[in-house]
Amino acid sequence: CLAWSSASAQGAYPNHPISLVVPFAAGGPTDVVARSLGASMAKTLGQSVVIENRTGAGGTLASQHVARAAPDGYTFLIHHNGMATAPALYRKLSYNPLTDFAYVGQVADVPMTLLGRKDLPADGMGGFIKYARENGNKINLANAGLGAVSQLCGMLLQEALGVQFTTVPYAGTAPAMTALLGGQVDVLCDQTTQTIPQIKADRVKLFGVTTLDRIKTLPDAPTLQEAGLKGFEVKVWHGVYAPKGTPPEAINKFNAALRAALKDPAFTQKMTELGADIVPESKQTPEGLQTWLQSEINKWGVVIRKAGVYAD
Ligand code: MLT
């Protein structure tokens, strides 16, 4: 009957645009994934997915915002490993990743690359290691704040090399990359979703990749492990979250749109070009994300406490 179907169509979810919060600056690696994902998901949802960049405190301000947002199915968060590292990095975190969110699913895994400014007087990973040991804190290392994967990578790198650089934090690795291109900072460890175009255009020095094996998109780049940093590995993963209490109907629809996007060539081809791998189906679910998040909190908690890095 017409009256019933029009009433139910009006109330059907979603009936207005959905906000997807990105914890870092526009134009950066997380933003690139979010915008492309949102555009693809909108095709399934029949509503636009509006990207909202909420920067600050290494992604924790955005997480806090979403944890406290109305659980109405119109606010979601895309976040990476930072969701799992924040509890160890911030002693006074205002939210709990394991109790304050509803889970949608994971998206893609992304390698990182270790880069230097174009005119850094060091070549190859061997040259970089020598330069780093000789120059220590005269070297400026850019990152996107405590909780960013650029910070995690930089922290592990300094530990592995036994050096301490001077850290320069930005609101995301988009402005950090601008600083590297302009020669205001020396080194940046950043996701391939932002760095591949700069590497291919030869605007930066590439020292290596942070995965245990070489990657298809940059076959000539050595791994940091190959260059002597045994076991060095940082792989970035992305999850989609909602405030706890979001209706299951909304989570299910958003998850169905997410899974459709992860099969949409418009999204998957872009990810492949940028070095990212779509996660297997088992990780594309709320349970897959929740289980993974718990394991990552355990894993990185140990590493971060050992490094002794934290904010009060
Ligand atoms: C990071 O954690 O370094 C980020 O991914 C930065 C960003 O998206 O800007």
Side-chain angles (χ1 to χ4, degrees):
C1 107
L2 195 65
W4 182 85
S5 57
S6 67
S8 93
Q10 210 186 20
Y13 171 85
N15 60 23
H16 61 268
I18 295 172
S19 163
L20 179 59
V21 176
V22 169
F24 299 99
T30 314
D31 185 77
V32 164
V33 173
R35 280 177 204 271
S36 178
L37 180 70
S40 176
M41 288 177 70
K43 294 189 265 183
T44 308
L45 293 163
Q47 287 290 342
S48 50
V49 175
V50 180
I51 303 302
E52 204 186 311
N53 299 88
R54 282 188 175 260
T55 65
T60 58
L61 296 185
S63 304
Q64 174 186 303
H65 169 78
V66 173
R68 294 177 184 170
D72 57 6
Y74 290 93
T75 304
F76 290 86
L77 169 73
I78 181 166
H79 201 351
H80 57 34
N81 310 46
M83 196 66 158
T85 58
L89 291 170
Y90 289 85
R91 296 197 158 173
K92 292 181 188 142
L93 201 63
S94 66
Y95 59 88
N96 184 334
L98 291 172
T99 54
D100 293 339
F101 296 91
Y103 306 95
V104 178
Q106 289 183 60
V107 183
D109 291 334
V110 187
M112 300 190 82
T113 45
L114 178 63
L115 307 176
R117 65 178 153 80
K118 187 74 176 129
D119 56 355
L120 197 76
D123 287 299
M125 196 53 203
F128 173 75
I129 293 175
K130 185 164 175 288
Y131 182 81
R133 293 201 167 125
E134 284 169 3
N135 291 279
N137 65 8
K138 286 197 228 107
I139 297 173
N140 288 322
L141 169 74
N143 72 24
L146 211 55
V149 286
S150 43
Q151 178 267 329
L152 186 65
C153 178
M155 179 188 86
L156 295 172
L157 180 68
Q158 292 173 86
E159 243 194 359
L161 297 176
V163 298
Q164 192 126 42
F165 299 138
T166 299
T167 296
V168 188
Y170 292 87
T173 49
M177 177 62 83
T178 304
L180 188 74
L181 295 174
Q184 286 105 36
V185 294
D186 303 309
V187 181
L188 171 67
C189 185
D190 194 18
Q191 299 172 66
T192 57
T193 38
Q194 164 162 267
T195 65
I196 280 183
Q198 305 298 345
I199 292 166
K200 298 233 150 128
D202 204 23
R203 293 196 194 102
V204 289
K205 261 190 188 171
L206 169 63
F207 296 120
V209 294
T210 67
T211 40
L212 291 177
D213 297 310
R214 290 191 179 206
I215 61 172
K216 279 194 219 93
T217 31
L218 298 169
D220 298 333
T223 66
L224 268 54
Q225 150 148 286
E226 252 175 79
L229 307 185
K230 208 170 169 307
F232 193 102
E233 183 186 27
V234 189
K235 225 162 65 176
V236 185
W237 54 274
H238 295 81
V240 176
Y241 305 83
K244 176 138 192 144
T246 299
E249 186 217 359
I251 297 290
N252 291 342
K253 283 210 171 161
F254 210 65
N255 176 263
L258 172 71
R259 283 185 288 112
L262 301 185
K263 290 192 185 68
D264 175 7
F267 179 68
T268 60
Q269 277 168 16
K270 173 142 195 185
M271 290 302 103
T272 302
E273 275 163 32
L274 294 176
D277 292 318
I278 302 298
V279 294
E281 283 185 7
S282 61
K283 288 185 169 181
Q284 298 175 13
T285 62
E287 303 73 35
L289 172 56
Q290 192 175 5
T291 308
W292 181 255
L293 175 66
Q294 175 72 73
S295 72
E296 285 283 288
I297 288 174
N298 297 346
K299 170 182 165 176
W300 293 114
V302 174
V303 174
I304 291 163
R305 278 189 291 275
K306 186 169 151 267
V309 177
Y310 58 84
D312 277 321

